[in-house]
Amino acid sequence: MKSLTHRQQQILDFIEHTLAREGFPPTIAELAAAFGMGSGNAIRGHLQALAKKGAIQLTPGASRGIRLLKPGTDQGLPLIGRVAAGQPILAEQHIEGYCQIGPELFQQRADYLLRVHGLSMRDAGILDGDLLAVQRRPDARSGQLVVARIGDEATVKRLRLDGDIAYLEPANPDFTTIGIDLRRDALAIEGIVVGVIRRIAL
């Protein structure tokens, strides 16, 4: 990594401290506020310089798209937002940022975090805005909570298998169960849920 200016080092240290404290990198606005800058343009310039010098990697369009590139630094789990049709769930454009979550928090290994949209799993204790820890795998057992691809979205449902029919069941009576005839249609499983992280607004 090329040598950094004093301000670049300050910004890099702030990013590292925020990651250690919060588990997420700071936003442009948070960086600008921390360093007393009126707009985010100056911060963006410093971040681009840090990226050119190999200190960080920037994910365009992500609000917390800063990834440390220091040797030996644990980057944490990728946080996935909305998933576009026909693209892998871990495609770069889906990654909002990285979260330093210890693997010991979950009984099984987690490969990524998925942001929940909606209340279809409300009665299972999964609410809008929660983060799901997901183990990436193409299959699942009946009764498991799964991330399945339905049309343009990655949806979270409980899988129930009954012969050649797979049911994706919500945990909210306001939503309907999705039935898939496996003799005609493939069921695209993106992973199984191994944990839930509640996002609490302060």
Side-chain angles (χ1 to χ4, degrees), residues 53-152:
K53 291 182 177 182
I56 63 173
Q57 178 182 329
L58 298 175
T59 302
S63 63
R64 298 182 184 272
I66 302 171
R67 186 176 186 183
L68 290 177
L69 295 179
K70 282 180 62 177
T73 301
D74 181 9
Q75 302 303 320
L77 297 175
L79 170 59
I80 308 300
R82 291 203 177 270
V83 178
Q87 296 176 345
I89 200 164
L90 286 172
E92 182 176 311
Q93 59 267 38
H94 300 156
I95 298 174
E96 294 183 357
Y98 292 83
C99 182
Q100 290 188 329
I101 296 289
E104 68 278 0
L105 289 178
F106 313 113
Q107 290 185 345
Q108 300 182 61
R109 187 194 79 251
D111 295 308
Y112 61 91
L113 301 174
L114 180 68
R115 188 183 303 282
V116 175
H117 300 282
L119 294 170
S120 69
M121 298 303 290
R122 178 195 63 195
D123 296 344
I126 299 173
L127 305 179
D128 186 60
D130 285 352
L131 302 180
L132 297 182
V134 182
Q135 182 181 102
R136 191 180 188 190
R137 54 185 301 172
D139 53 16
R141 299 190 308 273
S142 188
Q144 288 183 312
L145 283 177
V146 301
V147 178
R149 190 183 289 274
I150 301 294
D152 293 354

Side-chain angles (χ1 to χ4, degrees), residues 16-17 23 29 31 38 60 75 78 83 98 103 113 150 172 184 190 202:
E16 291 178 0
H17 293 155
L31 281 165
Q75 302 303 320
V83 178
Y98 292 83
L113 301 174
I150 301 294
N172 183 333
R184 296 196 314 261
E190 296 280 4
L202 301 177

Side-chain angles (χ1 to χ4, degrees), residues 6-27:
H6 178 65
R7 179 45 62 95
Q8 289 167 0
Q9 187 63 55
Q10 286 181 318
I11 292 172
L12 185 62
D13 290 344
F14 184 84
I15 294 169
E16 291 178 0
H17 293 155
T18 302
L19 270 167
R21 185 178 66 250
E22 307 290 343
F24 292 91
T27 63

